[in-house]
Amino acid sequence: MTTRSETVDTPAGQARVTWHTARAARAVVALGHGAGGGVEARDLQALAAALPAHGFTVALVEQPWRVAGKKVAAAPKVLDEGWRGLWPALARPGLPVVAGGRSAGARVACRTAAELGAAGVLALAFPLHPPGKPEKSRAGELLDAGRPVLVLQGGRDPFGRPEEFPDGAFELVEVPHADHGFAVPKRAGLTQDEALAVITAAVAPWLARLLG
């Protein structure tokens, strides 16, 4: 695996892509971050470390608001605009591109997957609703993605526990005891590394099935 970063001009400002490139890559897995953090998130870093060995290049995408050093995420429309603007860079290797991300990044991937021609969507910690407000559901974004979707969701995620998700044409894998950041308490029956291994162990075979 080789690693490099590049900045990409988008209508929303400069984005940054950090490439974790696999040898003889079969696809690019593009992962955006959430509204409360960047690409240093534990789940994004775990996938960037694990997937290249399975033949998948990982592109960790920092949205323009984050690159500019702002503390508050841009509006959804602007996030989508930035994602669309950097898509040609993600597609440049000439490989299928799986769109994904965690939390707000997962929502962006769902909203834009069909129009951009993504091969599939990887939704990490999808924020089904704001904490304590299940009536404000965002399930429509997930259900209308128009592409195969894999959701990885913490068992105690306040933005939506696995059992709260509606039936639909997507796969869902629970990460036991994990919160929205996939952190697990010390009293849980698995370690933090084991929780992250649930994610990587689910994603790699799903990608293999998706891409044939």
Side-chain angles (χ1 to χ4, degrees):
M1 178 181 71
T2 60
T3 304
R4 66 178 179 87
S5 294
E6 66 171 319
T7 55
V8 181
D9 290 327
T10 82
Q14 277 198 334
R16 183 183 297 116
V17 181
T18 301
W19 294 90
H20 299 261
T21 304
R23 293 181 180 179
R26 300 167 57 187
V28 171
V29 181
L31 299 174
H33 53 77
V39 297
E40 70 279 1
R42 58 172 61 85
D43 49 337
L44 302 182
Q45 289 295 322
L47 289 168
L51 291 182
H54 296 274
F56 304 109
T57 288
V58 176
L60 297 183
V61 175
E62 292 177 79
Q63 281 271 5
W65 70 269
R66 183 83 179 180
V67 175
K70 297 178 181 178
K71 302 298 184 184
V72 179
K77 181 179 178 181
V78 179
L79 296 178
D80 292 356
E81 188 177 49
W83 190 255
R84 291 187 188 99
L86 61 83
W87 191 261
L90 301 173
R92 190 189 312 127
L95 298 168
V97 182
V98 175
R102 63 165 287 101
S103 196
R107 295 181 65 194
V108 172
C110 286
R111 289 194 298 260
T112 60
E115 67 176 277
L116 294 174
V121 176
L122 176 57
L124 302 157
F126 186 85
L128 186 64
H129 57 70
K133 298 181 179 180
E135 72 279 3
K136 296 184 179 294
S137 177
R138 298 153 178 159
E141 294 178 353
L142 186 65
L143 297 173
D144 295 340
R147 291 292 186 271
V149 180
L150 175 64
V151 179
L152 277 297
Q153 202 74 8
R156 58 186 186 96
D157 190 334
F159 288 83
R161 297 184 306 278
E163 64 268 22
E164 295 182 73
F165 279 72
D167 292 332
F170 59 89
E171 296 180 48
L172 190 149
V173 173
E174 178 176 349
V175 182
H177 309 289
D179 65 10
H180 193 59
F182 293 112
V184 295
K186 291 184 178 179
R187 64 181 182 277
L190 75 171
T191 66
Q192 187 64 67
D193 285 345
E194 288 170 339
L196 294 174
V198 171
I199 297 173
T200 56
V203 171
W206 177 77
L207 289 170
R209 294 194 305 271
L210 176 70
L211 298 161

